[in-house]
Amino acid sequence: MVGLFSVMGHEKCESYLIFSGEAALGDNFRTFLYFLGLAYCFLGLSAITARFFKSMENVVKHTRKVVEIDPVTQTEVVRHEKVWNYTIADISLLAFGTSFPQISLATIDAIRNVGNLYAGGLGPGTLVGSAAFDLFPIHAVCVVVPKAGELKKIADIGVWLVELFWSFWAYIWLYIILKVWTPDVVTLWEALLTVLQYGLLLTHAYAQDKRWPYISLPIERDERPEEWVPEESPYFIQESLDKMDFSETSPMSEEYGETVDIFSIHSVNPTDQKYERVHQIDDNVAQISDKAKEMMTEDVHLLKIWRQQFVDALTLESLETKKLKNSYLRMGRILWQSLLIPWRFLFAFVPPCHIAHGWISFICSLLFISGIAYIVTRITDLISCVTGINAYVIAFTALASGTSWPDLVASKIAAERQITADSAIANITCSNSVNIYVGIGVPWLIDTLYNFIAYREPLRIQDAGGLSFSLLVFFSTSVGCISVLVLRRLIFGAELGGPRIWAWITCVYFMFLWIIFVVLSSLKVSGFI
């Protein structure tokens, strides 16, 4: 199936994705089709990531019942506390979830490469490119998202510094492996140590959050606003109740007066028992929700919700679309929904996210993400084969940008919805750490373990020079990015928002740093420098 043969000095790609007749098509037309398929896969990743977030909401909001004895009255006091610490949730669920497309792609690339003494190029290249996309373009978007003059700062500088340290150390560690410790090869112990450092990151961040002595930095946490997530208009409540779209909304809390938001896992203090209040509904709306709940009996509740997921997936015109007065916008919205119907219908098979606290939906979403990542890997191989473009260049640019889309969406929503910048920026720094410790560590562990057992040989890196050069460029440009964030904190008192002109100047500067990284890395792996 896969091969190259020379025709008049031009290498013709004989690989194909669906049928062998693809090879008879012109290279330009094939390239266009494959890039179109790649873009459509990225749309699928965005769609399944939205469902993944909903399942993660239910995982994070899970509480446990704690019974204590009041020392004064000697009576039992029952309270509910969150199972998940918000810092750990940021690193393990939010960052891991948004980085799962890259992790899946790298792991699939490693599994396909098992038995080969040389590591695949798509995984590491995508993850390093994704780190650059996370740090520069996503920061650029988050800076300009707040309204003009609005300032959003990091409330817990101590936790951010810990996350930032482990993010920088991850890339220093990767360079040490590739160029200092064992040049151009990766041993089993190096891969194992890489994965274990993710556990150290979790432990250190949790220690800083709890302010453990001797381990945590002596930096006090800023007082957080009571309403960390701002109130929404009651219009959205009524719209959601009218629509009764169970695939797009989460079950209401027991008090019916609150709904949850994915980023409201950050509470006023770590022991809060509930999510931050997003909006308060009046008695009439509460009665409507009560009646809606009564209509759903225990024996048919699951089937009703699951059936509604398919109905919603095949619905082209939502209430929001129907209310559009501009017919062109309305038609464009319908055409866009038509384009997404195959993905929406496929993802409707994911069980409702409130079952088993969201874990079943969580796992099923990850399986779908892995499947799409495999297709993306195949298409990328074909693009490289047809065009002759170095696989690392595609990984740095198209793959990194596409697979990092969930990171962009998550951070943008956090910057819009939260009063502080903690989640928006923490998602970026933690995703970069996860990319190295898990996204590169686990695939390398798979390949090195097999090579050690089968051949007693380490894993060789075919283009270690290009990868290590990209790490140096990334590290240098990231210093410029973090320095500007620090300057903004000192000058404006916040990392995000501020005067509009300076926000846009910062945005352009971050994008310029990203262009520098992409251009220099591409020129290096292509042999021009």
Side-chain angles (χ1 to χ4, degrees):
M1 284 176 54
V2 180
L4 295 172
F5 68 94
S6 178
V7 179
M8 299 179 61
H10 175 70
E11 292 183 336
K12 180 74 174 179
C13 179
E14 286 297 308
S15 305
Y16 59 89
L17 180 64
I18 301 176
F19 57 93
S20 58
E22 295 174 20
L25 300 175
D27 287 348
N28 291 336
F29 186 61
R30 289 182 70 187
T31 302
F32 171 75
L33 289 180
Y34 292 146
F35 269 111
L36 199 63
L38 195 64
Y40 196 66
C41 285
F42 291 153
L43 288 179
L45 279 177
S46 298
I48 190 59
T49 301
R51 190 168 293 274
F52 175 87
F53 282 160
K54 291 178 179 63
S55 64
M56 190 171 68
E57 279 183 352
N58 286 269
V59 171
V60 173
K61 76 176 184 180
H62 181 45
T63 60
R64 61 186 174 189
K65 183 178 179 181
V66 178
V67 180
E68 297 177 342
I69 304 298
D70 190 299
V72 179
T73 62
Q74 297 300 313
T75 57
E76 288 188 352
V77 177
V78 179
R79 63 183 180 87
H80 295 268
E81 64 178 21
K82 292 179 185 177
V83 173
W84 283 89
N85 170 270
Y86 78 82
T87 296
I88 298 300
D90 266 348
I91 301 173
S92 59
L93 292 180
L94 183 59
F96 182 82
T98 55
S99 298
F100 198 77
Q102 303 96 301
I103 296 172
S104 298
L105 192 147
T107 305
I108 292 170
D109 190 44
I111 293 174
R112 292 191 313 161
N113 200 59
V114 165
N116 194 336
L117 291 177
Y118 286 89
L122 286 181
T126 302
L127 289 163
V128 175
S130 175
F133 187 88
D134 286 351
L135 192 64
F136 304 126
I138 297 182
H139 265 129
V141 171
C142 290
V143 166
V144 297
V145 160
K147 299 176 182 179
E150 186 180 10
L151 294 171
K152 297 190 177 185
K153 67 177 182 179
I154 299 173
D156 198 334
I157 290 290
V159 170
W160 178 68
L161 288 176
V162 168
E163 294 167 347
L164 188 65
F165 165 77
W166 284 101
S167 177
F168 273 94
W169 167 249
Y171 294 93
I172 296 173
W173 167 254
L174 197 58
Y175 184 83
I176 292 173
I177 290 177
L178 295 176
K179 282 299 179 183
V180 179
W181 200 343
T182 52
D184 300 340
V185 299
V186 178
T187 65
L188 175 61
W189 300 112
E190 289 171 340
L192 184 60
L193 284 174
T194 302
V195 175
L196 291 177
Q197 288 183 72
Y198 180 63
L200 294 178
L201 163 62
L202 289 171
T203 304
H204 194 183
Y206 183 77
Q208 180 63 41
D209 180 69
K210 295 298 184 180
R211 300 303 192 268
W212 287 357
Y214 309 112
I215 300 178
S216 62
L217 299 173
I219 301 176
E220 292 297 325
R221 181 188 292 118
D222 289 350
E223 184 178 354
R224 295 169 181 159
E226 292 184 3
E227 296 294 336
W228 203 358
V229 179
E231 293 186 355
E232 290 181 346
S233 168
Y235 162 77
F236 295 103
I237 306 169
Q238 189 59 49
E239 182 183 37
S240 62
L241 288 172
D242 291 340
K243 185 178 179 182
M244 293 301 289
D245 182 353
F246 297 103
S247 68
E248 299 295 331
T249 58
S250 301
M252 289 191 174
S253 65
E254 292 181 355
E255 294 185 359
Y256 311 136
E258 297 175 350
T259 59
V260 296
D261 182 272
I262 180 174
F263 297 104
S264 57
I265 56 176
H266 297 264
S267 56
V268 177
N269 60 69
T271 60
D272 274 355
Q273 61 180 2
K274 298 172 184 172
Y275 278 27
E276 284 296 305
R277 181 160 301 183
V278 179
H279 47 251
Q280 188 72 30
I281 59 179
D282 56 27
D283 294 337
N284 293 332
V285 177
Q287 291 176 5
I288 294 174
S289 64
D290 288 340
K291 291 179 181 179
K293 280 182 166 289
E294 291 173 1
M295 291 173 60
M296 289 184 266
T297 57
E298 291 296 330
D299 55 338
V300 298
H301 181 63
L302 172 60
L303 293 178
K304 280 187 176 181
I305 295 178
W306 211 333
R307 182 183 62 185
Q308 188 64 37
Q309 289 186 175
F310 288 93
V311 173
D312 294 333
L314 299 175
T315 301
L316 293 179
E317 235 181 336
S318 63
L319 288 178
E320 185 179 351
T321 304
K322 291 178 180 179
K323 292 177 181 179
L324 291 176
K325 296 181 180 180
N326 190 313
S327 58
Y328 294 104
L329 289 177
R330 187 173 177 179
M331 184 59 64
R333 194 77 172 265
I334 293 175
L335 290 175
W336 178 254
Q337 295 299 326
S338 302
L339 187 65
L340 294 178
I341 274 185
W343 287 126
R344 294 171 60 185
F345 181 78
L346 180 63
F347 300 148
F349 286 96
V350 176
C353 60
H354 71 283
I355 302 175
H357 303 297
W359 281 109
I360 297 178
S361 177
F362 185 90
I363 295 171
C364 289
S365 299
L366 293 183
L367 293 176
F368 272 111
I369 290 174
S370 298
I372 298 175
Y374 175 75
I375 298 174
V376 166
T377 305
R378 290 282 296 119
I379 295 176
T380 305
D381 286 342
L382 288 170
I383 292 175
S384 180
C385 179
V386 173
T387 62
I389 300 175
N390 190 295
Y392 271 100
V393 175
I394 298 175
F396 285 140
T397 53
L399 273 184
S401 303
T403 55
S404 294
W405 188 256
D407 291 309
L408 175 61
V409 172
S411 292
K412 179 179 178 293
I413 294 174
E416 287 175 336
R417 294 281 295 118
Q418 285 196 336
I419 295 176
T420 67
D422 291 71
S423 282
I425 295 180
N427 180 51
I428 297 171
T429 53
C430 293
S431 292
N432 284 350
S433 300
V434 171
N435 282 345
I436 298 300
Y437 299 133
V438 181
I440 290 182
V442 170
W444 278 358
L445 184 60
I446 293 171
D447 285 342
T448 54
L449 182 61
Y450 183 90
N451 287 0
F452 180 79
I453 295 174
Y455 313 121
R456 289 294 190 273
E457 290 283 342
L459 181 67
R460 292 177 172 83
I461 308 299
Q462 194 166 11
D463 197 1
L467 188 59
S468 58
F469 177 82
S470 297
L471 290 172
L472 287 177
V473 175
F474 172 77
F475 189 81
S476 302
T477 50
S478 62
V479 170
C481 176
I482 300 301
S483 299
V484 168
L485 290 177
V486 173
L487 283 175
R488 287 180 57 85
R489 179 64 177 251
L490 296 176
I491 296 173
F492 301 119
E495 290 79 13
L496 306 182
R500 211 60 181 164
I501 180 64
W502 287 109
W504 279 106
I505 290 175
T506 305
C507 174
V508 172
Y509 172 70
F510 286 161
M511 292 302 298
F512 178 69
L513 292 177
W514 182 61
I515 292 173
I516 291 176
F517 169 82
V518 171
V519 170
L520 291 181
S521 298
S522 300
L523 291 176
K524 178 64 177 179
V525 298
S526 300
F528 291 102
I529 58 176

